[in-house]
Amino acid sequence: MPLARYLREKNYTVGLACNCEVALEAPGLPDIVKQWHGTIEECEIFHIPFPRQIRPWQDWRCLRKAYTLCRFWDPDIVSVQTAKAGFLGRLAAHLADVPIIHYECHAWPFRPGMVGRTAEGMPFSERVYLWLEHRALHWTDFINHETEFMRRLSLQYEMWPCRERWQDKDLMRERYLRTLR
């Protein structure tokens, strides 16, 4: 929401895609969000019913809807949050050739609970999440971390953006690491 408000103040056209039903239940959202009349402070809102649980068929439909939205809107920036919707949103934006893809990392889906644990010590499901996130890094330009803990996990598991359009991946890694300091 802060990024959307900032871009709206700079006279950008802003659209928000989310699971409106879940968002209505979230604590602390502004009352204006709860009205859902199709706009929020002149931002168009699109309902994509991303389920919290893994549901392959519904996830596939949401990916298609997010892709179609990206193709229709032709955005300059896509910013995503949450683990699963963030992964699917980045994939949709990548497939739709969105120029800039940003991920707001609240928590990695493979979060091991403590820094220092190796990938080999993770349960199978967390290793799958780690593998998927490493694939998604190739479609990601920027990652913001909500906490120092998440930043340290990113460094430990080599989770920095490495979108293929960057010619020098080592230089990109160094630039990213400098932003984290």
Side-chain angles (χ1 to χ4, degrees), residues 79-111:
S79 180
V80 296
Q81 299 182 27
T82 74
K84 189 174 79 167
F87 176 82
L88 294 173
R90 284 181 284 164
L91 177 57
H94 168 69
L95 294 173
D97 295 321
V98 173
I100 299 172
I101 301 173
H102 168 259
Y103 179 44
E104 182 72 36
C105 177
H106 299 291
W108 290 115
F110 56 85
R111 187 168 79 192

Side-chain angles (χ1 to χ4, degrees), residues 65-84:
K65 192 169 184 177
Y67 168 78
T68 302
L69 179 61
C70 286
R71 296 297 289 181
F72 171 76
W73 257 65
D74 192 27
D76 294 319
I77 301 171
V78 166
S79 180
V80 296
Q81 299 182 27
T82 74
K84 189 174 79 167

Side-chain angles (χ1 to χ4, degrees), residues 63-180:
L63 174 64
R64 286 183 42 217
K65 192 169 184 177
Y67 168 78
T68 302
L69 179 61
C70 286
R71 296 297 289 181
F72 171 76
W73 257 65
D74 192 27
D76 294 319
I77 301 171
V78 166
S79 180
V80 296
Q81 299 182 27
T82 74
K84 189 174 79 167
F87 176 82
L88 294 173
R90 284 181 284 164
L91 177 57
H94 168 69
L95 294 173
D97 295 321
V98 173
I100 299 172
I101 301 173
H102 168 259
Y103 179 44
E104 182 72 36
C105 177
H106 299 291
W108 290 115
F110 56 85
R111 187 168 79 192
M114 61 189 211
V115 174
R117 187 166 116 188
T118 64
E120 292 78 29
M122 290 182 186
F124 177 74
S125 61
E126 289 184 9
R127 286 192 306 244
V128 169
Y129 285 132
L130 179 61
W131 183 84
L132 288 170
E133 281 299 332
H134 272 113
R135 304 291 77 71
L137 291 173
H138 294 282
W139 323 315
T140 307
D141 292 295
F142 303 100
I143 299 174
N144 286 6
H145 300 89
E146 191 170 87
T147 66
E148 175 65 16
F149 179 74
M150 288 300 117
R151 185 188 75 78
R152 289 189 345 210
L153 281 178
S154 293
L155 294 175
Q156 178 181 340
Y157 291 103
E158 300 182 349
M159 303 293 290
W160 50 80
C162 54
R163 193 157 182 194
E164 292 173 3
R165 67 188 174 101
W166 297 99
Q167 295 297 317
D168 188 342
K169 290 199 177 23
D170 290 332
L171 177 63
M172 182 60 189
R173 177 182 179 272
E174 287 305 313
R175 286 182 183 165
Y176 180 68
L177 292 176
R178 270 185 289 189
T179 66
L180 296 178

